[in-house]
Amino acid sequence: MRTSFQLFSVRLWLLPLLIFVLATPLWLHVWEPRMFLYINQLCLTVAAPVWTGLSLLGNGWGILGVTAPLLLRAPRLMWAWICAAPFAILFARLGKGFLVSPRPAAEVDNAQMRIVGEVLHNVSMPSGHTTTAFAVAAAIYFALTPEQRKRHWWILLLALGAGLSRIAVGAHWPGDVAVGISLGLLAGLLGNVLLAAVPPRCFAPTHWAMRLLALLVLGGVYFLATEELDFAENQPLQWLLASVALVSVFLFARRSASALRAS
């Protein structure tokens, strides 16, 4: 297996930069607030819980719940997005820390837009949820074989839905989302570079790394079951994901114990 930056072609590494450049009119707000209002109003045709649910795909605890079955079915893919997560956090924190960027609610008459959840006014660029969603989706997608990618393009489509949801709930400008897509794709690619350095034995159910990951998922169960993650509308979905994650951890623990006894 190839390692480091040789994992992917140069064209693929240039994709995040290409998206960033093509989105220049968006993150420079050339078409704002008109474009934001158009997309936000267009999304009114879809019920708010759909958008808040998609937004949960950009929340770390939500992602742990969604991907928990990978503990059993494809641990390498779960580690792929875990490796990408630090890059996504770094990119989002740097952007929000250095850029003074008001959110739509601070510049647009709130009566003209749909706002779901808390009314946010500051630290808009980039969209952290979009960056996270695309980092996870890209990390998993590019960890697949080329043949598998043909059947799992919908992973990136889900991430796009998470990005669109940030406009639909009134939290971000289209430019914030576009930059989040670019940064998320880069984080996903970098995550695969780290993944290539992880020995295959780390994906075994008896390895301490997998057990540590299972404990992390168990922490996700707690937060999904007890905390309001971004939106009150997500509570039923959080309970469902907490149940899926709890069952996944239980089955993983049983498999780990069986493998240990057999060794």
Side-chain angles (χ1 to χ4, degrees):
M1 179 179 290
R2 291 178 295 172
T3 59
S4 191
F5 291 92
Q6 295 178 340
L7 277 171
F8 306 111
S9 67
V10 173
R11 286 183 297 177
L12 196 53
W13 280 106
L14 290 176
L15 180 60
L17 178 61
L18 178 62
I19 293 174
F20 183 83
V21 172
L22 292 177
T24 298
L26 295 179
W27 53 262
L28 286 181
H29 297 291
V30 174
W31 298 321
E32 301 296 357
R34 184 181 303 174
M35 177 174 281
F36 164 78
L37 284 171
Y38 176 77
I39 298 175
N40 181 268
Q41 292 300 302
L42 190 65
C43 291
L44 283 172
T45 57
V46 178
V50 174
W51 297 119
T52 59
L54 284 170
S55 195
L56 192 59
L57 294 176
N59 181 287
W61 299 119
I63 292 169
L64 277 171
V66 171
T67 60
L70 293 178
L71 276 173
L72 299 161
R73 298 181 59 84
R76 179 175 170 273
L77 296 184
M78 192 160 191
W79 273 110
W81 81 255
I82 293 293
C83 289
F87 295 106
I89 294 171
L90 176 64
F91 295 157
R93 292 289 175 85
L94 284 176
K96 291 179 181 295
F98 287 100
L99 298 176
V100 179
S101 50
R103 292 185 187 247
E107 296 195 349
V108 178
D109 180 1
N110 291 187
Q112 298 182 43
M113 55 189 282
R114 173 166 70 176
I115 300 176
V116 182
E118 181 183 358
V119 181
L120 304 172
H121 293 95
N122 301 308
V123 290
S124 188
M125 172 71 75
S127 166
H129 283 72
T130 306
T131 302
T132 302
F134 265 89
V136 171
I140 292 175
Y141 182 78
F142 292 124
L144 298 170
T145 65
E147 187 61 33
Q148 289 172 327
R149 292 174 198 167
K150 295 177 183 179
R151 303 193 304 271
H152 293 85
W153 54 268
W154 53 268
I155 298 173
L156 296 174
L157 190 62
L158 278 178
L160 186 62
L164 182 60
S165 76
R166 302 310 290 164
I167 304 173
V169 300
H172 281 285
W173 304 101
D176 302 336
V177 172
V179 173
I181 292 172
S182 175
L183 295 176
L185 286 173
L186 179 58
L189 290 169
L190 290 171
N192 271 272
V193 172
L194 284 185
L195 181 68
V198 178
R201 66 177 181 275
C202 294
F203 308 135
T206 54
H207 197 275
W208 65 266
M210 286 302 300
R211 292 177 176 178
L212 191 62
L213 185 54
L215 287 176
L216 181 61
V217 174
L218 203 56
V221 170
Y222 171 79
F223 284 101
L224 285 165
T226 63
E227 300 290 328
E228 181 181 301
L229 302 180
D230 300 322
F231 304 97
E233 290 87 347
N234 279 344
Q235 200 64 67
L237 179 57
Q238 288 180 213
W239 290 334
L240 174 61
L241 291 178
S243 300
V244 170
L246 188 60
V247 170
S248 298
V249 171
F250 172 76
L251 293 176
F252 169 81
R254 192 168 68 173
R255 175 180 294 181
S256 180
S258 297
L260 191 62
R261 286 195 298 268
S263 62

